Amino acid sequence: MNKPIPLDIEIPLDAKRYIISETDEKGKITYCNDYFIEVSGYSQKELIGKPHNIVRHPDMPSIVFKLLWQTISSGKNINAVVKNLAKDGRYYWIFTEFEIRKDTDTGKIIGYHASRKNISKHVIEIISDLYARLLEIEKHDSIDASEKYLLDFLQEKGDDIDFSNIMEEIHRFY
């Protein structure tokens, strides 16, 4: 008899492998590599055509995704640290590089490409504290209050903050 996998256990990632996915412009998965399938625990059939938030961990504050979508839908590439949830309840932290895919004839955004790799424990410790605080604010107040906290937090870190690319600014300080 197989032992059940304990929930809320971190999945160790191979530092030499990338988790790759592509989505359409609305965020539905159109491609996923074998490593994404392996780590997430979903089959290719379960992933293709589904919203990418199928792997969203409840520890992730909404403001992170709001800012991420604002950035990529405006045509800018972005990097982000994300905690994802596997099908079996385990999780994995990743550093994600989001790239815009455009129609070569029209220049219109047709989707997004994401390459994900493992991230150092030091960065996870720091960013998870910030994310936990943002999530707490969202639970007790609002996403707008969470965004204000984040902007104030970044303002305290330096005077030359690029508020048009807040996700990049978060990572600049870590």
Side-chain angles (χ1 to χ4, degrees):
M1 182 187 265
N2 290 343
K3 281 180 137 179
I5 296 172
L7 299 181
D8 206 32
I9 301 293
E10 186 168 5
I11 298 170
L13 298 179
D14 183 338
K16 296 178 182 163
R17 296 180 74 187
Y18 281 80
I19 296 170
I20 307 289
S21 66
E22 292 184 355
T23 68
D24 64 14
E25 72 283 359
K26 303 252 190 252
K28 288 190 178 173
I29 300 170
T30 57
Y31 169 81
C32 52
N33 72 345
D34 290 341
Y35 194 46
F36 185 21
I37 292 166
E38 178 185 328
V39 172
S40 74
Y42 289 97
S43 69
Q44 183 177 31
K45 185 176 180 180
E46 290 174 302
L47 291 169
I48 300 297
K50 298 295 188 300
H52 210 289
N53 66 7
I54 191 172
V55 293
R56 181 176 176 177
H57 197 285
D59 287 350
M60 286 298 299
S62 296
I63 190 60
V64 171
F65 294 106
K66 177 186 175 191
L67 297 172
L68 189 142
W69 274 103
Q70 281 177 351
T71 303
I72 62 176
S73 62
S74 73
K76 296 177 187 172
N77 294 338
I78 193 167
N79 300 324
V81 175
V82 177
K83 183 178 185 180
N84 279 343
L85 182 66
K87 184 178 179 179
D88 64 10
R90 295 181 299 159
Y91 66 92
Y92 52 102
W93 281 96
I94 48 175
F95 179 79
T96 305
E97 300 171 24
F98 293 95
E99 296 177 3
I100 292 23
R101 294 184 310 117
K102 293 183 178 183
D103 181 291
T104 54
D105 294 328
T106 66
K108 179 184 172 206
I109 295 173
I110 57 171
Y112 307 99
H113 174 94
S115 299
R116 299 165 189 86
K117 60 185 176 182
N118 72 334
I119 191 162
S120 76
K121 295 295 180 200
H122 173 70
V123 172
I124 292 169
E125 288 171 10
I126 294 169
I127 205 85
S128 64
D129 288 344
L130 174 61
Y131 285 3
R133 179 68 183 126
L134 295 172
L135 191 61
E136 192 65 26
I137 292 167
E138 289 173 12
K139 285 180 182 176
H140 295 325
D141 199 338
S142 67
I143 192 170
D144 292 335
S146 177
E147 184 172 15
K148 181 180 180 334
Y149 176 87
L150 178 57
L151 294 175
D152 291 346
F153 174 85
L154 292 173
Q155 193 74 52
E156 288 176 15
K157 296 286 186 185
D159 295 328
D160 58 343
I161 301 298
D162 176 8
F163 288 102
S164 67
N165 200 351
I166 294 171
M167 289 303 296
E168 291 295 331
E169 294 295 339
I170 292 170
H171 301 105
R172 186 166 66 116
F173 293 109
Y174 294 112

